[in-house]
Amino acid sequence: MIVYATHKGGRYLPLAVSLQEQPTGVRNLYVNITNQCDCACVFCLRHKKQMAETSSLWLKREPTVAEVQTELLAAPWDYIAEVVFCGFGEPTMRLAELTELLKFVREKFPTHKTRLNTNGLAELHWQKDVAPLFAGLLDTVSISLNASSAERYLALTRAKYGMESFDGMLRFAEHCKTYIPNVILTVVDKVENAAEIEKCRAICRERELTLRVREYEDS
């Protein structure tokens, strides 16, 4: 699926099915543009979650910008609260397409909030400061902090950039503060214990960032 909604029980549903199940109320619209990822997180659902063919997030091929735009235009916008670019891969791996689509959403649906869910490693991947590209396009960026130290982070994420990945992710978060109103860092409960989560809170407090503890999904 390129666009979808989430429902209780860790279910990803096409928007038409989502509306049948929940005909009233708003929901987030999730946008999936790639399977590529520069992490191989030990807790990731990419290799654990079983999905039906009709509701799979595994893309048989990467959609073009035009294909994503077509699906966005067909979405039930009266029932959409926030547009979230995430997917089963890392959306910043397709940085040019991502920013073009964010501009499209801003132009066509200016009253809707936008969010990017990311591992925060885009600047390491592209070897440049990419945060300015999101100025005026994103209301929120949600960055996977995952751990309180470079060693623990690398053990959990197995990021391809090695030990520098942790500092690179935090540097990206700091850069985003200038251009994006809401910068949130996340950890996953059950993956980290209470002591580790508190260390993550301290990291966020030091940088005037918000920490969100995400619910662990195991299937």
Side-chain angles (χ1 to χ4, degrees), residues 46-142:
R46 284 161 59 92
H47 303 292
K48 296 168 58 178
K49 190 174 184 70
Q50 299 297 314
M51 292 177 288
E53 179 72 19
T54 55
S55 59
S56 176
L57 297 184
W58 282 109
L59 298 167
K60 293 181 178 179
R61 62 173 179 81
E62 293 188 334
T64 65
V65 167
E67 287 171 332
V68 179
Q69 289 173 340
T70 296
E71 296 225 11
L72 289 172
L73 288 171
W77 286 93
D78 289 343
Y79 298 92
I80 303 302
E82 183 180 38
V83 184
V84 185
F85 284 83
C86 56
F88 237 30
E90 168 51 45
T92 61
M93 300 290 282
R94 299 187 70 192
L95 188 61
E97 293 85 354
L98 172 63
T99 53
E100 186 174 351
L101 287 165
L102 283 168
K103 290 175 183 175
F104 178 81
V105 171
R106 270 290 189 253
E107 176 186 339
K108 298 293 185 182
F109 312 101
T111 62
H112 285 74
K113 299 293 187 181
T114 56
R115 172 169 33 120
L116 169 65
N117 290 353
T118 177
N119 60 24
L121 300 178
E123 294 184 346
L124 290 175
H125 178 78
W126 295 103
Q127 289 295 294
K128 63 179 182 180
D129 182 0
V130 305
L133 298 174
F134 299 119
L137 300 180
L138 281 173
D139 295 293
T140 302
V141 59
S142 178

